[in-house]
Amino acid sequence: MAEYNAGIIEPKWQKYWEENDFYKTDENGKKKYYVLEMFPYPSGKLHMGHMRVYSIGDVLARFLTMRGYSVLHPMGWDAFGLPAENAAIENNVHPADWTYANIEAMKKQQKALGISYDWDREVTTCSPDYYKWTQWLFLLFYKRGLAYKKKASVNWCNKCATVLANEQVENGGCWRCGEEVIVKDLEQWFLRITDYAERLLEDLKLLDGWPERVRIMQENWIGKSEGAEIEFTVSGSGEKIPVFTTRPDTLFGVTYMVLAAEHPLVDKLTQGTEREAEVRAFVEKTRKLTDVDRSSTEMEKTGVFTGAYCINPLNGEEVPILVGNYVLMGYGTGAVMGVAAHDQRDFEFAKKYNLPVRIVITPKDHLLKAEEMDAAYIDDGVMVNSAQFDGLANEEGKRAITAELENKGFGRAKITYRLRDWLISRQRYWGAPIPIVYCEKCGTVPVEEESLPVELPNDVVFKQGGQSPLASHEGFLHTACPLCGGSARRETDTMDTFICSSWYYLRYTDPHNDKQAFNREKNDAWVPVDQYIGGIEHAILHLLYSRFFTKVLHDAGMTEAVEPFTRLLAQGMVNKDGAKMSKSKGNVVSPDEIIAKYGADTGRLFILFAAPPERDLDWSDRGVEGCYRFLKRVWRLVDRYADVATQKGEIGNIEGAEQELRRAIHGALKKVTEDIEERFNFNTAISAVMEAVNAAYIYMNEKEDNIHAGVMAEALNILVLMLAPFAPHLGEEMWQRLGNADSVHHQPWPLYDSSALQLAEVEIVIQVNGKLRGRLTISAGLSSEEMQAMAMSDSRIAELIEGKQIVKAIAVPGKLVNLVVR
RNA sequence: GCCGAAGUGGCGGAAUUGGCAGACGCACUUGACUCAAAAUCAAGCGGUCUCUGAUCGUGCCGGUUCGAGUCCGGCCUUCGGCACCA
């Protein structure tokens, strides 16, 4: 008898798969399924999070292949990014060399895990034949008016020496290094994602295959609010101040106006007045605060009077204009109408500066009194102190006042989104250059498509903490203007790497195309991705950007799809001892050491068995041992009976132990099929296989060498087929040992025999007043009445109900009888 | 503050439609095999008690129901997201 030796069989089958182009995508006909795991950043080493996401994807890909689908299951590299540049600075290696070496190392690890990727479709975002099309897509956006350059207050990370998009700021810190983000005014490139805000929001409804929490996060991020834009007029100068409000119904309650410190009117209103110095000092102080401090709810609301007044368009009243620290220039119009009675922030501000509180909405059952309020009244109610609108329900009032404003030309209904345009410029070298040149005569000019890619120069020098080397690379910098041929200067910023990853799943469908980003027909044959798998950390970032790209490309006629990912699985983290694996905690377990000690099959099995995929998983060395034991146990069983089982006798009429075994095997098969296909519950699927193996051991211990060859042959073959997606190497080995030709991974998934599941007798539970009082084995298919009669004639039950009256009886066929007695 | 998720044995987890709580695995205990150990095979394994049985038990309090881990109402704790968004 041969021992199970993963160290020998795993490389053997990996070599066999590689030499036979085993996982080449089948493009012919059949129903398609696109399984995709988020491609990794090539850091150089796989961690357990990678192992988990690939294991999940691989089980699905292999299972669906067996179910008869043409499966697309590719892999690639999110290969641009800052770590490569930092490595260049620290270790004096070129980012390209560093990156490609890492890719080789990680690919080797992925192969050692036995994942079924079609490597012919590998994409690498830092390769010129990929980023050529990233640049081409940028130009497409530019031509469609979706890429523009503007000067704006942007988030800057000093440590990374670059700007960041809004989505890339977490709690005021840089998403990558945690460094506190500061605000700078810079001229930068943006993508007009806000043009797609409504569709990005609306189409979340199509994504019922996504976790609800991810949809909600995106919904909150887009942050739609409906309301009105209302114009106030500055007394004297006639200057307009538009404000956005969700509560136009409270317009008659406005008692002041607040501007953001950055509001352009602040200077105009105060220049040359006696208040200038005080206002300027306040503005300076406010602008110096970091965004974190400024946006903290704890922060006291402060402000200063500008000396100017403005006029409420509906009641003609003059109210003072202040500058306040709680108004943000980046949202709405940068100005807020102050309604102290009905907005908590305004209320606090008004109390501090003794501004009047005027009630215009009141609850139905009692009248509010301003002097008795200790918080704003923000609920619905009836309008008061609002001239002709008095008595209206405030929801009605919103519409009525907006209509009145529109009539008089002082305002209109307006929808505002929290979502900002996507800032994509990065002041770094290791990214796709933005294909734009600046000509003295012609201004901003896009590079012509024929000249793409704008390649990164290789001969660059990196300086510690410094500027991008592109900015000082003479050969890169100077070029001819595509329009006039005159001397021009290249854009030296590169693109946010999230752009590269916003379309890679489309490139997989046609990865070698050198004429187009991808062919429409090939794309439509596979896209959208049927099942996407990755970490929750991309709930907004990558997943929102990719949705945006897909919609723009759909509008440009390049893809049929309006959404890129039909179903999304956000897998949980891999922890150890209750904490995230990290070097500093010393609780890191690497896939390499697991493969070396137990083999990839054991590691994969454990990672899928220990928890459902979307939940966090606690690594347990003991648990891994258990999975290893299980695989050895299966192998011993197969090895012992393989020679008998290859005779494959007929099953024929069976009873007793044989029938039991068949029921266990087919029952497990049913459960495994449903758990993978419908519920993604790999953990319970594996436990079902374990139960089936246990049943086979019970049978073995009873019959030893007198087993029924036909039944055993069927049992072993089904066991191996069920296990193959989870433990692909051992699957092949056992399949071969059972005397089968071809590969186990090319077999159709077995169908369970429902007749094997039917029981002649079932055990039911008897309850008295809802309490478990006995069990009874009865023949299957008895009616409720018969079950009840049998329950009552059971001696123990009869004793319990003796002398009592049966008030009610419930009988669930095949399950239980409950007698309610008094 | 707002939004969301989760709380089940010593541990990871299961219970899919309201119907036997704790499948499967880990740990532990015992037996077989062995000179012995490892490996393996087998049995047991929520608490309490007057232990062939009863009783309590799925974060807490209450409700609906013949019957609740599952449904409803109100809390508590932990985690995640957003956070002066007008």
Side-chain angles (χ1 to χ4, degrees), chain A residues 106-125:
Chain A
M106 286 173 78
K107 200 194 292 188
K108 208 173 140 198
Q109 287 180 292
Q110 287 170 332
K111 288 184 175 174
L113 285 172
I115 314 288
S116 60
Y117 294 130
D118 177 357
W119 286 106
D120 288 348
R121 291 174 183 258
E122 181 179 4
V123 304
T124 307
T125 60

Side-chain angles (χ1 to χ4, degrees), chain A residues 206-276:
Chain A
L206 304 175
L207 302 178
D208 53 0
W210 282 36
E212 197 194 4
R213 61 181 169 143
V214 176
R215 292 200 311 253
I216 289 172
M217 276 191 232
Q218 292 214 351
E219 197 179 313
N220 291 341
W221 189 261
I222 294 166
K224 180 179 182 174
S225 351
E226 295 183 56
E229 190 168 288
I230 303 173
E231 272 171 9
F232 285 64
T233 308
V234 178
S235 305
S237 80
E239 199 91 48
K240 303 283 187 214
I241 310 179
V243 299
F244 173 73
T245 179
T246 54
R247 295 294 304 271
D249 52 321
T250 63
L251 183 53
F252 284 80
V254 174
T255 51
Y256 60 98
M257 164 74 62
V258 199
L259 304 178
E262 295 86 350
H263 199 286
L265 268 182
V266 173
D267 269 353
K268 278 195 198 168
L269 293 178
T270 55
Q271 217 154 37
T273 71
E274 53 177 23
R275 306 213 48 85
E276 184 175 359

Side-chain angles (χ1 to χ4, degrees), chain A residues 33-37 53-67 69 71-73 116 530-533 567 569 604 608 613 675-682 725-726:
Chain A
Y33 203 101
Y34 188 174
V35 185
L36 185 63
E37 299 111 59
V53 70
Y54 305 148
S55 299
I56 294 168
D58 199 45
V59 167
L60 273 181
R62 289 180 187 276
F63 172 77
L64 290 162
T65 303
M66 293 174 85
R67 290 293 262 177
Y69 288 88
V71 173
L72 175 59
H73 188 214
S116 60
D530 294 278
Q531 181 64 56
Y532 199 32
I533 310 157
R567 304 224 285 171
L569 183 105
R604 293 168 52 130
L608 293 167
D675 279 354
I676 301 179
E677 194 149 61
E678 291 160 27
R679 309 203 300 153
F680 282 41
N681 281 6
F682 307 118
F726 298 95

